[in-house]
Amino acid sequence: MVIFLAMISTFLFGQFENSIITCSSAVENPGDEFNITIGTTELLESWNISAFQFELDFNPEIVTYTGFAAGEVVSGIGSLLANESTPGHVIVAFANALPISGVGNLVTINFEAADVGSTILDVNDFKYNATYLAAGNLIDGNVQVIEYNLFQDVAITAGSGNVTVGNEVVIPVSTTMLTSDMGAISFQFDLYFDNSLLTFDGFSLGEVPNPGNLIANESTPGVVSVAYANVMPITGE
């Protein structure tokens, strides 16, 4: 009987020993409410997984736990519980009468960004049924809470082009929307290119900035340094 039980245990562990559990990451501002997901690689019904449990550790001075919701893998079935037993330590447990299957989100954990800083979201002691997964199969997440920046959602894009040898190609550098209350009166950037294929031979002001002082020069071969300044805010996109 002892040998039989040992063989069954090894067999069951072999079925999901390669399962990977992944905690998502986030970059937020203080006061933001956000969600973190705990996902799994594919689970087969034949594995007879009817329960899971894990613990999630984080710095409660950086993020605050506010709640949880079932992911799509277990949505509408079984019983899912999550409890912050001590600040920064959440225990999650799920059980169902029938085996679960699928791939994707097991549970969503709700947080609020409390203060500037970063914290690891440490997934540990994860088990399917009574079988613990190896620590190497648990991928931790990370949350960075940063001070709000007026320009954090602004995207800068360099264009593309096709050109034959000896001809000129114009590459625009564009921005998403800038408003006057952002107060952007200057910008600066470097543009890198392969100087064995292209030669820098000039520049012009785009339609977004007000007339101001724009300069661009090839500071080193293959690197164009661009700078603009004005007394009026830049608006438009």
Side-chain angles (χ1 to χ4, degrees):
M1 179 63 72
V2 173
I3 296 175
F4 176 76
L5 291 175
M7 290 176 63
I8 289 294
S9 176
T10 302
F11 175 69
L12 290 176
F13 183 77
Q15 288 181 319
F16 33 81
E17 66 177 344
N18 293 322
S19 296
I20 303 296
I21 303 301
T22 303
C23 179
S24 64
S25 297
V27 178
E28 305 292 336
N29 301 129
D32 286 352
E33 296 179 349
F34 64 99
N35 300 325
I36 291 295
T37 60
I38 306 296
T40 181
T41 50
E42 186 174 12
L43 306 177
L44 300 182
E45 187 175 354
S46 60
W47 294 351
N48 291 315
I49 298 171
S50 59
F52 64 79
Q53 182 174 322
F54 67 90
E55 300 181 14
L56 183 69
D57 292 302
F58 53 90
N59 186 342
E61 295 184 358
I62 303 300
V63 296
T64 302
Y65 168 73
T66 60
F68 69 97
E72 66 266 18
V73 174
V74 298
S75 179
I77 61 172
S79 176
L80 176 68
L81 298 174
N83 176 56
E84 188 175 23
S85 55
T86 59
H89 183 75
V90 172
I91 300 173
V92 179
F94 169 85
N96 192 36
L98 298 174
I100 61 175
S101 61
V103 58
N105 184 16
L106 293 171
V107 59
T108 296
I109 310 293
N110 313 125
F111 288 100
E112 181 176 345
D115 198 4
V116 172
S118 65
T119 177
I120 297 294
L121 302 175
D122 177 21
V123 182
N124 56 85
D125 292 341
F126 190 104
K127 61 180 178 180
Y128 280 129
N129 296 341
T131 301
Y132 286 93
L133 299 189
N137 290 40
L138 309 179
I139 301 176
D140 296 335
N142 179 272
V143 175
Q144 296 183 54
V145 181
I146 60 175
E147 291 286 2
Y148 180 72
N149 181 333
L150 282 173
F151 305 107
Q152 66 184 28
D153 297 321
V154 175
I156 305 299
T157 305
S160 301
N162 296 312
V163 65
T164 55
V165 174
N167 290 315
E168 183 181 80
V169 61
V170 176
I171 302 298
V173 178
S174 60
T175 180
T176 52
M177 178 61 71
L178 297 172
T179 58
S180 59
D181 58 346
M182 290 179 172
I185 60 172
S186 66
F187 61 78
Q188 182 174 335
F189 64 89
D190 291 334
L191 182 68
Y192 290 77
F193 61 94
D194 187 340
N195 66 317
S196 68
L197 299 176
L198 298 172
T199 301
F200 172 68
D201 65 358
F203 65 95
S204 61
L205 187 65
E207 69 273 11
V208 172
N210 298 309
N213 185 22
L214 175 70
I215 58 173
N217 67 83
E218 192 170 8
S219 53
T220 59
V223 181
V224 173
S225 297
V226 179
Y228 167 89
N230 194 12
V231 296
M232 299 293 292
I234 305 167
T235 59
E237 61 179 332

Coordinates of all heavy atoms in Angstrom, one line a residue, residues 171-232:
I171 N 11.7 61.8 -42.9 CA 11.2 61.0 -41.7 C 10.6 62.0 -40.7 O 11.3 62.8 -40.1 CB 12.3 60.2 -41.1 CG1 13.0 59.3 -42.1 CG2 11.8 59.5 -39.9 CD1 12.1 58.2 -42.6
P172 N 9.3 61.9 -40.6 CA 8.6 62.8 -39.6 C 8.8 62.2 -38.2 O 8.8 61.0 -38.0 CB 7.2 62.8 -40.0 CG 7.0 61.5 -40.6 CD 8.3 61.1 -41.3
V173 N 8.9 63.1 -37.2 CA 8.8 62.7 -35.8 C 7.6 63.3 -35.2 O 7.5 64.6 -35.2 CB 10.1 63.1 -35.0 CG1 10.0 62.7 -33.5 CG2 11.3 62.5 -35.7
S174 N 6.6 62.5 -34.7 CA 5.3 63.1 -34.3 C 5.0 62.8 -32.9 O 5.7 62.0 -32.2 CB 4.2 62.4 -35.2 OG 4.2 61.0 -35.1
T175 N 4.0 63.5 -32.4 CA 3.6 63.4 -31.0 C 2.1 63.1 -30.9 O 1.3 63.5 -31.8 CB 3.9 64.6 -30.2 OG1 3.5 64.5 -28.8 CG2 3.2 65.9 -30.7
T176 N 1.7 62.5 -29.9 CA 0.2 62.4 -29.5 C -0.1 63.8 -28.9 O 0.7 64.7 -28.8 CB -0.1 61.3 -28.6 OG1 0.8 61.3 -27.5 CG2 0.1 59.9 -29.3
M177 N -1.4 64.0 -28.6 CA -1.9 65.3 -28.2 C -1.2 66.0 -27.1 O -1.0 65.4 -26.0 CB -3.4 65.1 -27.9 CG -4.1 66.5 -27.5 SD -4.0 67.8 -28.8 CE -5.2 67.1 -29.9
L178 N -0.9 67.2 -27.3 CA -0.3 68.1 -26.3 C -1.3 69.2 -26.1 O -1.8 69.8 -27.1 CB 1.0 68.7 -26.7 CG 2.2 67.6 -26.8 CD1 3.4 68.3 -27.4 CD2 2.5 67.0 -25.5
T179 N -1.6 69.6 -24.9 CA -2.6 70.7 -24.6 C -1.8 71.8 -23.9 O -0.7 71.6 -23.3 CB -3.7 70.2 -23.7 OG1 -3.2 69.7 -22.5 CG2 -4.5 69.1 -24.4
S180 N -2.4 73.0 -24.0 CA -1.7 74.2 -23.5 C -1.5 74.1 -22.0 O -0.5 74.6 -21.4 CB -2.5 75.5 -23.8 OG -3.8 75.4 -23.2
D181 N -2.4 73.4 -21.2 CA -2.2 73.3 -19.8 C -1.0 72.4 -19.4 O -0.6 72.4 -18.2 CB -3.5 72.9 -19.1 CG -4.0 71.5 -19.6 OD1 -3.5 71.1 -20.6 OD2 -4.9 71.0 -18.9
M182 N -0.5 71.6 -20.3 CA 0.7 70.9 -20.1 C 1.9 71.8 -19.9 O 2.9 71.4 -19.3 CB 0.9 69.8 -21.1 CG -0.1 68.7 -21.1 SD 0.2 67.5 -22.5 CE -0.9 66.2 -22.1
G183 N 1.9 72.9 -20.6 CA 3.0 73.8 -20.5 C 4.3 73.4 -21.2 O 5.4 73.9 -20.8
A184 N 4.2 72.6 -22.2 CA 5.4 72.2 -22.9 C 5.9 73.3 -23.8 O 5.2 73.6 -24.8 CB 5.1 70.9 -23.7
I185 N 7.0 73.9 -23.5 CA 7.6 74.9 -24.3 C 8.9 74.5 -25.0 O 9.5 75.3 -25.7 CB 7.8 76.2 -23.5 CG1 8.8 76.0 -22.3 CG2 6.5 76.8 -23.0 CD1 9.2 77.2 -21.6
S186 N 9.3 73.3 -24.7 CA 10.6 72.9 -25.4 C 10.6 71.4 -25.5 O 9.9 70.7 -24.8 CB 11.8 73.4 -24.6 OG 11.8 72.8 -23.3
F187 N 11.5 70.8 -26.3 CA 11.7 69.4 -26.4 C 13.1 69.2 -26.9 O 13.7 70.1 -27.5 CB 10.7 68.7 -27.2 CG 10.6 69.1 -28.7 CD1 11.6 68.7 -29.6 CD2 9.6 69.9 -29.1 CE1 11.5 69.0 -30.9 CE2 9.5 70.3 -30.4 CZ 10.4 69.9 -31.4
Q188 N 13.6 68.0 -26.6 CA 15.0 67.6 -27.1 C 15.0 66.1 -27.2 O 14.4 65.4 -26.4 CB 16.0 68.1 -26.1 CG 17.5 67.8 -26.5 CD 18.5 68.5 -25.6 OE1 18.2 69.5 -24.9 NE2 19.6 67.9 -25.5
F189 N 15.7 65.6 -28.3 CA 15.9 64.2 -28.4 C 17.0 63.9 -29.4 O 17.5 64.8 -30.1 CB 14.6 63.5 -29.0 CG 14.2 64.0 -30.3 CD1 14.6 63.3 -31.5 CD2 13.3 65.0 -30.5 CE1 14.2 63.7 -32.7 CE2 12.9 65.5 -31.8 CZ 13.4 64.8 -32.9
D190 N 17.5 62.7 -29.4 CA 18.5 62.2 -30.3 C 17.8 61.2 -31.2 O 17.0 60.3 -30.8 CB 19.7 61.5 -29.6 CG 20.5 62.6 -28.8 OD1 20.5 63.7 -29.2 OD2 21.1 62.1 -27.8
L191 N 18.2 61.2 -32.5 CA 17.7 60.3 -33.5 C 18.9 59.5 -34.0 O 19.8 60.1 -34.6 CB 17.0 61.0 -34.6 CG 16.4 60.1 -35.7 CD1 15.2 59.3 -35.2 CD2 15.9 61.0 -36.9
Y192 N 18.8 58.2 -33.9 CA 19.9 57.3 -34.3 C 19.6 56.6 -35.7 O 18.4 56.2 -35.9 CB 20.2 56.2 -33.3 CG 20.8 56.7 -32.0 CD1 20.0 57.4 -31.0 CD2 22.2 56.6 -31.7 CE1 20.6 57.9 -29.9 CE2 22.7 57.0 -30.5 CZ 21.9 57.7 -29.6 OH 22.5 58.1 -28.4
F193 N 20.6 56.5 -36.5 CA 20.4 55.8 -37.8 C 21.7 55.2 -38.3 O 22.8 55.5 -37.7 CB 19.8 56.8 -38.9 CG 20.8 58.0 -39.2 CD1 21.7 57.9 -40.2 CD2 20.8 59.1 -38.4 CE1 22.5 58.9 -40.5 CE2 21.6 60.2 -38.7 CZ 22.5 60.1 -39.7
D194 N 21.6 54.3 -39.3 CA 22.8 53.7 -39.8 C 23.4 54.6 -40.8 O 22.9 54.7 -42.0 CB 22.3 52.3 -40.4 CG 23.5 51.5 -40.9 OD1 24.6 52.1 -41.1 OD2 23.4 50.3 -41.1
N195 N 24.5 55.2 -40.5 CA 25.1 56.2 -41.4 C 25.9 55.5 -42.6 O 26.4 56.2 -43.5 CB 26.1 57.1 -40.6 CG 27.3 56.4 -40.1 OD1 27.2 55.3 -39.5 ND2 28.5 57.0 -40.2
S196 N 25.9 54.2 -42.6 CA 26.4 53.5 -43.8 C 25.3 53.4 -44.9 O 25.6 53.2 -46.1 CB 26.9 52.1 -43.5 OG 25.8 51.3 -43.1
L197 N 24.1 53.7 -44.5 CA 23.0 53.6 -45.5 C 22.4 55.0 -45.7 O 21.9 55.2 -46.9 CB 21.9 52.7 -44.9 CG 22.2 51.2 -44.7 CD1 21.1 50.5 -44.1 CD2 22.7 50.6 -46.0
L198 N 22.4 55.9 -44.8 CA 21.7 57.2 -44.9 C 22.7 58.3 -44.5 O 23.6 58.1 -43.7 CB 20.5 57.2 -44.0 CG 19.4 56.2 -44.2 CD1 18.3 56.3 -43.1 CD2 18.7 56.5 -45.6
T199 N 22.4 59.4 -45.1 CA 23.2 60.6 -44.8 C 22.2 61.7 -44.4 O 21.3 62.0 -45.1 CB 24.0 61.1 -46.0 OG1 24.9 60.1 -46.4 CG2 24.8 62.4 -45.7
F200 N 22.5 62.3 -43.2 CA 21.6 63.5 -42.7 C 21.9 64.7 -43.6 O 23.1 65.1 -43.7 CB 21.9 63.7 -41.3 CG 21.3 65.0 -40.7 CD1 19.9 65.0 -40.6 CD2 22.0 66.1 -40.3 CE1 19.3 66.2 -40.1 CE2 21.5 67.2 -39.8 CZ 20.1 67.3 -39.7
D201 N 20.9 65.3 -44.1 CA 21.2 66.5 -44.9 C 20.2 67.7 -44.7 O 20.1 68.6 -45.5 CB 21.2 66.2 -46.4 CG 19.8 65.7 -46.9 OD1 18.9 65.6 -46.1 OD2 19.7 65.4 -48.1
G202 N 19.5 67.7 -43.5 CA 18.6 68.8 -43.3 C 17.5 68.5 -42.4 O 17.2 67.3 -42.0
F203 N 16.7 69.5 -42.0 CA 15.5 69.4 -41.1 C 14.6 70.6 -41.4 O 14.9 71.6 -41.9 CB 16.0 69.4 -39.7 CG 16.6 70.6 -39.2 CD1 15.8 71.6 -38.5 CD2 17.9 70.9 -39.4 CE1 16.4 72.8 -38.1 CE2 18.5 72.1 -38.9 CZ 17.8 73.0 -38.3
S204 N 13.3 70.4 -40.9 CA 12.4 71.5 -40.9 C 11.4 71.3 -39.8 O 11.2 70.2 -39.2 CB 11.6 71.5 -42.2 OG 10.9 70.3 -42.4
L205 N 10.8 72.4 -39.4 CA 9.8 72.4 -38.3 C 8.5 71.8 -38.7 O 8.0 72.1 -39.8 CB 9.6 73.8 -37.8 CG 8.7 74.0 -36.5 CD1 9.4 73.4 -35.3 CD2 8.5 75.5 -36.3
G206 N 7.9 70.9 -37.9 CA 6.6 70.3 -38.2 C 5.5 71.3 -37.9 O 5.7 72.4 -37.5
E207 N 4.3 70.8 -38.1 CA 3.1 71.6 -38.0 C 2.6 71.9 -36.6 O 1.8 72.8 -36.3 CB 1.9 71.1 -38.9 CG 1.3 69.8 -38.4 CD 2.0 68.5 -38.9 OE1 3.1 68.7 -39.4 OE2 1.5 67.4 -38.7
V208 N 3.1 71.0 -35.7 CA 2.5 71.2 -34.3 C 3.2 72.3 -33.5 O 2.4 73.1 -33.0 CB 2.7 69.8 -33.5 CG1 2.4 70.0 -32.0 CG2 1.9 68.7 -34.1
P209 N 4.5 72.5 -33.4 CA 5.0 73.6 -32.6 C 4.7 74.9 -33.2 O 4.6 75.1 -34.4 CB 6.5 73.3 -32.6 CG 6.7 71.9 -33.1 CD 5.5 71.7 -34.0
N210 N 4.5 75.9 -32.3 CA 4.5 77.3 -32.8 C 5.9 77.7 -33.3 O 6.9 77.1 -32.9 CB 4.1 78.3 -31.6 CG 2.8 78.0 -31.1 OD1 1.8 77.9 -31.8 ND2 2.7 77.8 -29.7
P211 N 6.0 78.7 -34.2 CA 7.3 79.1 -34.6 C 8.2 79.4 -33.4 O 7.8 80.1 -32.5 CB 7.0 80.3 -35.5 CG 5.6 80.1 -36.0 CD 4.9 79.4 -34.9
G212 N 9.3 78.8 -33.4 CA 10.3 79.0 -32.3 C 11.7 78.7 -32.8 O 11.9 78.7 -34.0
N213 N 12.5 78.3 -31.9 CA 13.9 78.1 -32.2 C 14.2 76.6 -32.3 O 14.1 75.9 -31.3 CB 14.8 78.7 -31.2 CG 16.3 78.6 -31.6 OD1 16.6 78.4 -32.7 ND2 17.2 78.7 -30.6
L214 N 14.3 76.1 -33.5 CA 14.6 74.6 -33.7 C 16.0 74.5 -34.3 O 16.3 75.1 -35.3 CB 13.6 74.1 -34.7 CG 13.8 72.6 -35.1 CD1 13.5 71.7 -33.9 CD2 12.9 72.2 -36.3
I215 N 16.8 73.6 -33.7 CA 18.1 73.3 -34.3 C 18.2 71.8 -34.3 O 17.6 71.0 -33.5 CB 19.2 73.9 -33.4 CG1 19.1 73.4 -32.0 CG2 19.2 75.4 -33.5 CD1 20.3 73.9 -31.1
A216 N 19.0 71.3 -35.3 CA 19.3 69.9 -35.4 C 20.6 69.7 -36.1 O 20.9 70.4 -37.1 CB 18.2 69.2 -36.2
N217 N 21.5 68.9 -35.5 CA 22.8 68.7 -36.1 C 23.3 67.3 -35.8 O 22.9 66.7 -34.8 CB 23.8 69.7 -35.6 CG 24.1 69.6 -34.1 OD1 24.9 68.8 -33.7 ND2 23.4 70.3 -33.3
E218 N 24.1 66.8 -36.7 CA 24.6 65.4 -36.5 C 25.8 65.5 -35.6 O 26.9 65.8 -36.0 CB 25.0 64.8 -37.9 CG 25.3 63.4 -37.8 CD 25.4 62.7 -39.2 OE1 25.5 63.5 -40.2 OE2 25.5 61.5 -39.3
S219 N 25.5 65.3 -34.3 CA 26.5 65.5 -33.3 C 27.7 64.5 -33.4 O 28.9 64.8 -33.2 CB 25.9 65.4 -31.9 OG 25.2 64.1 -31.8
T220 N 27.4 63.3 -33.8 CA 28.3 62.2 -34.2 C 27.7 61.5 -35.3 O 26.5 61.5 -35.6 CB 28.6 61.3 -33.0 OG1 27.4 60.6 -32.6 CG2 29.2 62.0 -31.8
P221 N 28.6 60.8 -36.1 CA 28.0 60.1 -37.3 C 26.9 59.1 -36.9 O 27.1 58.3 -36.0 CB 29.3 59.3 -37.8 CG 30.4 60.2 -37.4 CD 30.1 60.7 -36.1
G222 N 25.7 59.3 -37.5 CA 24.6 58.4 -37.2 C 23.7 58.8 -36.1 O 22.8 58.1 -35.7
V223 N 24.0 60.0 -35.5 CA 23.2 60.5 -34.4 C 22.9 62.0 -34.6 O 23.8 62.9 -34.7 CB 24.0 60.4 -33.0 CG1 23.1 61.0 -31.9 CG2 24.4 59.0 -32.8
V224 N 21.6 62.3 -34.8 CA 21.1 63.7 -35.0 C 20.5 64.1 -33.7 O 19.6 63.5 -33.1 CB 20.1 63.8 -36.1 CG1 19.5 65.2 -36.2 CG2 20.7 63.4 -37.4
S225 N 21.0 65.2 -33.1 CA 20.5 65.8 -31.9 C 19.6 67.0 -32.3 O 20.0 67.9 -33.0 CB 21.7 66.3 -31.0 OG 22.5 65.3 -30.6
V226 N 18.4 66.9 -31.7 CA 17.3 67.9 -32.1 C 16.9 68.6 -30.8 O 16.7 68.0 -29.8 CB 16.1 67.2 -32.7 CG1 15.0 68.3 -33.0 CG2 16.5 66.4 -34.0
A227 N 16.7 70.0 -30.9 CA 16.3 70.7 -29.7 C 15.4 71.9 -30.2 O 15.6 72.5 -31.3 CB 17.5 71.3 -29.0
Y228 N 14.3 72.1 -29.5 CA 13.4 73.2 -29.8 C 13.0 74.0 -28.5 O 12.9 73.4 -27.4 CB 12.1 72.6 -30.4 CG 10.9 73.6 -30.5 CD1 10.8 74.4 -31.7 CD2 10.0 73.7 -29.5 CE1 9.7 75.2 -31.7 CE2 8.9 74.5 -29.6 CZ 8.8 75.3 -30.7 OH 7.7 76.2 -30.8
A229 N 12.8 75.3 -28.7 CA 12.3 76.1 -27.5 C 11.5 77.2 -28.0 O 11.7 77.8 -29.1 CB 13.5 76.6 -26.7
N230 N 10.5 77.6 -27.2 CA 9.7 78.8 -27.5 C 9.1 79.3 -26.2 O 9.2 78.6 -25.1 CB 8.5 78.3 -28.4 CG 7.8 79.5 -29.0 OD1 8.3 80.7 -29.0 ND2 6.7 79.3 -29.7
V231 N 8.5 80.5 -26.2 CA 7.9 81.0 -25.0 C 6.4 80.6 -24.9 O 5.8 80.7 -23.8 CB 8.0 82.5 -24.9 CG1 9.5 82.9 -24.8 CG2 7.3 83.2 -26.1
M232 N 5.8 80.1 -25.9 CA 4.4 79.7 -26.0 C 4.3 78.2 -25.9 O 5.1 77.4 -26.5 CB 3.7 80.2 -27.2 CG 3.7 81.7 -27.4 SD 2.7 82.5 -26.1 CE 1.0 81.9 -26.6

